């Protein structure tokens, strides 16, 4: 797992408008992929369902499973056919109904990304996903190619369309987690009871 100092380097300060006066820390200095889809449900509904990570295998073409490791860390298993790849992801920033940023904790390959939720004129939600791949060694050459970027963009676009069909078919969220995360840490409005040392995250 990454140390807090690593997170400071990976998530540079950039301005962001937050109602609580806090400066949002965005993870992406640049991006390799950006895709947007509009869904015909309110922002709150889209955001609430997105935070139910364990439901991703129900609509995703590549996600096979999601396991909660810590309040801000999940382990994702992705793959096609018999091929599988498992990696840990840390949520570094999260603002209800607005924004979520993550980074993979694996060193090779690694990636980071963000998803934004915006109200549309029709009362629906525009969901934008941005991703930056950060492979090491010879793999860097591959991901710099326009073909690799197009393939990744096509995959992200397909997953967004799958989510759109899923949430519009449901018509409402199947659950929600509406906490705030700053620099990889859950922000608590009230002290946790002495008997509880681990924040609970209902993800599915």
């Amino acid at each position: 797992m990454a140390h807090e100092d690593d997170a400071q380097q990976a998530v540079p300060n950039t301005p962001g408008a937050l109602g609580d006066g806090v400066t949002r820390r965005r993870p992406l200095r640049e991006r390799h992929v950006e895709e947007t889809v509009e869904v015909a449900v309110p922002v709150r509904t889209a955001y609430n369902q997105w935070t139910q990570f364990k439901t991703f295998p129900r609509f995703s073409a590549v996600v096979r499973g999601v396991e909660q490791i810590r309040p801000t860390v999940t382990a994702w298993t992705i793959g096609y056919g018999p091929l599988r790849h498992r990696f840990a992801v840390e949520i570094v920033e999260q603002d209800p109904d607005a924004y979520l940023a993550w980074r993979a904790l694996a060193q090779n390959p690694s990636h980071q990304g963000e998803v934004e939720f915006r109200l549309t004129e029709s009362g629906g939600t525009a969901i934008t996903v941005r991703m930056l791949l950060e492979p090491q060694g010879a793999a860097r050459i591959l991901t710099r190619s326009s073909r690799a970027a197009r393939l990744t963009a096509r995959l992200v676009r397909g997953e967004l369309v799958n989510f759109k069909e899923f949430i519009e078919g449901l018509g409402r969220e199947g659950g929600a987690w509406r906490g705030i995360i700053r620099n990889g840490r859950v922000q608590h409005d009230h002290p946790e009871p002495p008997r509880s040392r681990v924040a609970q995250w209902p993800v599915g």
Side-chain angles (χ1 to χ4, degrees):
M1 296 301 178
H3 296 290
E4 188 171 349
D5 289 343
D6 297 331
Q8 295 289 341
Q9 293 177 356
V11 191
N13 277 314
T14 54
L18 295 179
D20 55 9
V22 175
T23 299
R24 176 181 291 158
R25 299 169 64 85
R26 291 180 180 270
L28 300 184
R29 290 189 179 91
E30 56 181 315
R31 60 181 179 271
H32 286 168
V33 172
E34 178 175 336
E35 294 291 333
T36 299
V37 69
E38 292 190 11
V39 299
V41 297
V43 169
R44 186 183 180 93
T45 300
Y47 172 87
N48 285 349
Q49 185 60 53
W50 189 278
T51 61
Q52 301 302 287
F53 302 130
K54 284 187 176 181
T55 66
F56 271 59
R58 294 175 59 186
F59 62 83
S60 171
V62 295
V63 179
R64 298 296 176 244
V66 182
E67 178 186 355
Q68 192 74 43
I69 304 300
R70 297 203 304 268
T72 60
V73 177
T74 48
W76 294 66
T77 300
I78 63 173
Y80 286 105
L83 300 177
R84 294 290 185 272
H85 175 59
R86 189 173 188 269
F87 58 94
V89 168
E90 179 187 32
I91 303 299
V92 291
E93 302 292 328
Q94 188 162 334
D95 295 304
D97 301 333
Y99 181 77
L100 185 151
W102 75 89
R103 63 170 184 158
L105 298 178
Q107 295 302 309
N108 187 24
S110 184
H111 73 276
Q112 51 185 310
E114 62 186 3
V115 55
E116 289 187 321
F117 302 83
R118 301 184 309 278
L119 178 68
T120 64
E121 292 183 359
S122 62
T125 307
I127 305 174
T128 297
V129 172
R130 303 181 187 91
M131 289 182 59
L132 174 62
L133 303 178
E134 299 180 303
Q136 304 296 316
R140 289 187 176 186
I141 299 174
L142 266 177
T143 55
R144 285 176 181 170
S145 71
S146 59
R147 182 172 181 270
R150 287 197 301 270
L151 289 174
T152 304
R154 187 181 306 167
L155 175 62
V156 172
R157 178 69 183 178
E159 294 295 85
L160 281 173
V161 170
N162 290 342
F163 178 78
K164 169 184 171 68
E165 295 174 352
F166 178 71
I167 187 59
E168 288 181 352
L170 289 177
R172 62 180 182 177
E173 64 268 42
W177 188 84
R178 300 188 57 78
I180 295 173
I181 296 175
R182 294 284 183 266
N183 302 324
R185 295 185 178 182
V186 178
Q187 305 299 297
H188 298 287
D189 293 333
H190 306 286
E192 292 184 76
R195 62 181 175 81
S196 175
R197 295 189 177 184
V198 179
Q200 299 300 307
W201 189 317
V203 293

